[in-house]
Amino acid sequence: MTQHITTLRQLRDALPLPGARSRPLSLVPTMGALHEGHRSLVRKAREDGAQVLATVFVNPLQFGPGEDFDRYPRTLGSDLAALEEEGVEWAFFPEASEIVPKNPRIRITHPVAELYCGASRPGHFEGVLSIVSTFFHLVGPDRAYFGKKDRQQLFLIEQMVRELLFPLEIRPVETFREPDGLAMSSRNRYLTKEERRIAPELVRLMTEARDIYAPESQLDRLGWMNQLKYRLKERGFRPDYVALVEPRTFLPLDSEDPPESPAILLAAAWLGTTRLIDNIDIPARHV
Ligand code: PAF
């Protein structure tokens, strides 16, 4: 049976302290509206032999003014049923007033938080890092699981854990995709039938672009990215950004980086009122 927890006191009483754990404690943070991608995080945590605490919390701090906080899907009943089915030990779903101060002023940030998704969504990653660090110290997990779909988020959380010496291990999990390639996301349910038909073109075009990637210069890289944006527009997307990122620093690849360096291709694009993101690895070219 999954134990339901909504208050800090219940949380303190429920969780085994680090010295008294028979198995590792793993944290799977979510904003609810659970899909197979979330389930794959929980399954991975269980396969790795841990007891699992999943959070279901639509974090107000990571939504900007005019974003989709109000319409973000809230499906607590079916989320709790899914966590039960996956054998999760504890589900923590607090009210915002329990864990978010009225006027929060502390910010955890990093230069990469301003780039890519952070450029289009100012303050988003600071909001993510605030809530994730709050969960880390409230729960004290040995491990925490995050999907690679949110690659920039994963990078920033890994940096935060490293720099602030959180005593836990981050375990990334591969992006879970629909059979047609679309990365699973709670926001996919905003798509109309026609948009849902087009949506997998995002990763398809990114993959096609990867397969012809062979820059000899920085100018080639720019041309190649513009080409991808152009293709996305042709299919009906409004590209927000396309970026080639150096995996260790998450900074844009620049003219110093040799053409054969490995990279991560990131893209965000709008379809109607839905903003989709995706990323794929571009392995080092062996020429
Ligand atoms: O990836 C998400 O769903 C959220 O950003 C997270 C990590 C649960 C923090 O609210």
Side-chain angles (χ1 to χ4, degrees), residues 3 70 77-78 81 121 123 125 139 144 150 169-170 173 201 227 230 246-247 270 275 279 283:
Q3 185 179 348
D70 289 333
S78 56
R121 306 186 63 193
F125 288 116
V139 175
D150 298 299
E169 188 194 332
I170 300 298
V173 178
E201 288 292 288
Q227 183 76 248
Y230 177 80
E246 204 286 321
W270 290 88
R275 187 171 175 279
N279 68 84

Side-chain angles (χ1 to χ4, degrees), residues 38-59:
H38 296 109
R39 284 180 185 249
S40 74
L41 300 180
V42 171
R43 283 184 199 145
K44 188 80 189 60
R46 290 181 58 77
E47 271 164 36
D48 292 347
Q51 291 193 293
V52 179
L53 181 141
T55 62
V56 177
F57 183 66
V58 184
N59 169 29

Side-chain angles (χ1 to χ4, degrees), residues 28-32 38 55 57-59 62 72 124 127-129 131-132 135 145-147 150 153 157 186:
V28 178
T30 83
M31 297 210 300
H38 296 109
T55 62
F57 183 66
V58 184
N59 169 29
Q62 69 188 74
Y72 198 85
H124 168 69
V128 170
L129 295 179
I131 207 68
V132 169
F135 286 138
Y145 288 73
F146 294 90
D150 298 299
Q153 166 174 288
I157 292 169
S186 302

Side-chain angles (χ1 to χ4, degrees), residues 7-260:
T7 67
L8 295 183
R9 168 169 284 257
Q10 288 169 354
L11 187 67
R12 262 196 306 270
D13 291 345
L15 294 182
L17 293 171
R21 288 177 193 163
S22 52
R23 282 190 285 153
L25 174 59
S26 286
L27 174 69
V28 178
T30 83
M31 297 210 300
L34 301 184
H35 48 67
E36 282 300 314
H38 296 109
R39 284 180 185 249
S40 74
L41 300 180
V42 171
R43 283 184 199 145
K44 188 80 189 60
R46 290 181 58 77
E47 271 164 36
D48 292 347
Q51 291 193 293
V52 179
L53 181 141
T55 62
V56 177
F57 183 66
V58 184
N59 169 29
L61 302 175
Q62 69 188 74
F63 291 82
E67 289 191 352
D68 58 343
F69 177 70
D70 289 333
R71 77 162 174 153
Y72 198 85
R74 285 159 173 87
T75 58
L76 186 62
S78 56
D79 292 343
L80 294 175
L83 296 176
E84 182 82 54
E85 258 175 45
E86 297 299 334
V88 162
E89 277 79 3
W90 302 279
F92 181 42
F93 48 102
E95 291 291 331
S97 58
E98 190 74 14
I99 54 167
V100 176
K102 275 218 174 66
N103 185 17
R105 308 297 287 271
I106 294 285
R107 293 275 182 277
I108 304 173
T109 191
H110 183 284
V112 166
E114 313 279 313
L115 306 176
Y116 325 119
C117 283
S120 322
R121 306 186 63 193
H124 168 69
F125 288 116
E126 284 84 354
V128 170
L129 295 179
S130 289
I131 207 68
V132 169
S133 59
T134 300
F135 286 138
F136 284 173
H137 77 74
L138 288 176
V139 175
D142 301 294
R143 304 166 181 163
Y145 288 73
F146 294 90
K148 280 179 141 179
K149 149 103 184 337
D150 298 299
R151 201 71 184 263
Q152 189 177 2
Q153 166 174 288
L154 172 63
F155 172 84
L156 288 165
I157 292 169
E158 284 174 330
Q159 294 303 307
M160 176 179 77
V161 164
R162 194 168 306 156
E163 289 194 20
L164 301 184
L165 305 177
F166 277 97
L168 61 95
E169 188 194 332
I170 300 298
R171 298 213 171 168
V173 178
E174 287 307 319
T175 302
F176 204 93
R177 296 184 181 279
E178 302 276 4
D180 61 9
L182 177 65
M184 295 234 178
S185 162
S186 302
R187 290 188 168 97
N188 289 350
R189 61 184 80 192
Y190 299 155
L191 297 168
T192 63
K193 224 169 149 188
E194 177 58 8
E195 289 162 355
R196 174 64 190 80
R197 196 182 58 74
I198 301 169
E201 288 292 288
L202 175 59
V203 70
R204 201 189 63 73
L205 290 172
M206 289 169 76
T207 311
E208 198 175 274
R210 179 194 64 194
D211 295 344
I212 60 158
Y213 181 68
E216 292 305 328
S217 66
Q218 186 63 356
L219 209 66
D220 284 354
R221 272 190 190 127
L222 291 175
W224 175 90
M225 284 194 276
N226 284 334
Q227 183 76 248
L228 174 54
K229 277 193 207 154
Y230 177 80
R231 294 242 157 86
L232 286 166
K233 278 187 203 150
E234 267 183 343
R235 295 287 149 65
F237 292 92
R238 277 173 293 122
D240 178 0
Y241 68 82
V242 165
L244 265 176
V245 167
E246 204 286 321
R248 277 157 314 157
T249 60
F250 232 79
L251 294 172
L253 279 191
D254 63 24
S255 44
E256 304 291 298
D257 295 300
E260 65 273 14

